[in-house]
Amino acid sequence: VRIQIPWSLVQPDNPNQYDWSRIDAVVAAAAKRKIGVLAILSDTPGWAGDPPTSGEPDPGAFAAFVGKVARRYDGKIAAYEVWNEPNQTTFLDPNAPVAYTALLKAAYGAIKQVDPTLLVVGGVVAAAVTQPGSLHPVEFVQGMYEAGAAGFFDALSFHPYAYPLGSLFSAGQGWPNSSFSQLAVLRQLMVENGDQDKTIWATEFGAPTAGGITAQTQAEVIADFLSTWSQFGYTGPMFVHSMRDLADTADAEDSFGIFDYQGQPKPGAYV
């Protein structure tokens, strides 16, 4: 499972107070069931950045938090993603590769100091185009390499959503800005920078069951993605977003679950 460990949730008010209760409960539940965990480290507290949640924090302060997380959950969390979709200002403002690379380097050092076997997943970029508020993932990762990111991540992650640009991930072949095509260019970029032995993880992929997409179509989209992604020799683990609907509404953003809000399986759960 992929879980969030929001810095803003653990240290909401000041750098000297910690509330681990909700994270402890989730990590313990996964460990009890022998479920592997990939954790996202992100979300700037109000005291550490402006604006809160997405503001660029001081790398040293972030590293101090990351180190405490790695020590607390050593043996229960196997891999960490450094931030979530930093190529979008919704999640990191400004969405600058240089600033993100500073956070990545700081987090990498803090995690590896606790346990060198822990995996650090970098990039975590969304399929996007360059426009106000977002950077193309290839442009962002190129900026990371130029800022010295090589050697500071064990795998790169990408969120290759085909929705709402199209239904099927495989259908993007031949389309320059599709997530399918962006994946190929990201791989080429990694090879050019000596990272040919590292894989690209898909840590978010899915489709809603509202807003014009049916539950059966969601299942077809997921099946196509899992099948297509598996055929590449350079791709890593796949994570379907998400387990359960956020709410019982007609809003597409609430309906990405493969189980509905009441916990009943949709066709996608059987894929």
Side-chain angles (χ1 to χ4, degrees):
V1 295
R2 180 179 187 248
I3 68 167
Q4 291 179 301
I5 302 184
W7 187 12
S8 59
L9 179 74
V10 176
Q11 285 185 286
D13 300 318
N14 67 67
N16 300 314
Q17 290 183 325
Y18 297 85
D19 179 2
W20 300 101
S21 58
R22 281 174 280 186
I23 309 302
D24 282 352
V26 174
V27 173
K32 180 180 179 180
R33 293 161 177 82
K34 302 186 185 332
I35 296 173
V37 176
L38 167 67
I40 316 159
L41 300 164
S42 66
D43 290 11
T44 311
W47 56 266
D50 183 30
T53 304
S54 63
E56 177 192 327
D58 173 74
F62 181 57
F65 167 70
V66 168
K68 287 185 180 296
V69 172
R71 282 190 293 274
R72 188 176 188 89
Y73 302 117
D74 193 20
K76 295 181 178 179
I77 293 178
Y80 290 96
E81 281 188 307
V82 179
W83 224 260
N84 179 68
E85 300 188 359
N87 61 324
Q88 303 196 81
T89 53
T90 302
F91 297 102
L92 187 64
D93 190 3
N95 56 340
V98 173
Y100 172 72
T101 301
L103 295 178
L104 177 63
K105 288 181 173 182
Y108 183 91
I111 292 167
K112 294 294 186 176
Q113 187 173 18
V114 172
D115 185 348
T117 69
L118 292 171
L119 297 177
V120 178
V121 184
V124 204
V125 286
V129 295
T130 297
Q131 59 185 2
S134 70
L135 280 179
H136 193 291
V138 174
E139 182 180 344
F140 191 88
V141 174
Q142 175 68 57
M144 287 172 53
Y145 276 119
E146 291 171 357
F152 290 94
F153 59 92
D154 300 311
L156 189 79
S157 75
F158 177 44
H159 296 169
Y161 286 104
Y163 168 87
L165 299 178
S167 293
L168 300 179
F169 174 71
S170 65
Q173 186 171 6
W175 292 86
N177 278 324
S178 69
S179 56
F180 186 103
S181 296
Q182 289 178 355
L183 171 66
V185 183
L186 284 171
R187 168 61 179 174
Q188 180 183 344
L189 186 60
M190 292 175 70
V191 171
E192 291 170 355
N193 284 277
D195 278 340
Q196 62 275 359
D197 293 332
K198 296 178 181 176
T199 56
I200 301 176
W201 295 21
T203 58
E204 273 189 40
F205 181 86
T209 55
I213 294 183
T214 67
Q216 184 56 45
T217 299
Q218 181 200 53
E220 293 167 1
V221 167
I222 292 172
D224 171 81
F225 170 70
L226 297 178
S227 175
T228 306
W229 187 268
S230 300
Q231 293 173 17
F232 299 107
Y234 56 84
T235 48
M238 302 166 281
F239 291 76
V240 173
H241 175 77
S242 59
M243 181 64 76
R244 193 184 74 164
D245 286 350
L246 292 175
D248 190 8
T249 74
D251 186 340
E253 289 298 317
D254 289 337
S255 67
F256 274 78
I258 55 173
F259 290 81
D260 66 21
Y261 188 61
Q262 286 72 38
Q264 296 302 308
K266 303 177 187 178
Y270 296 99
V271 169

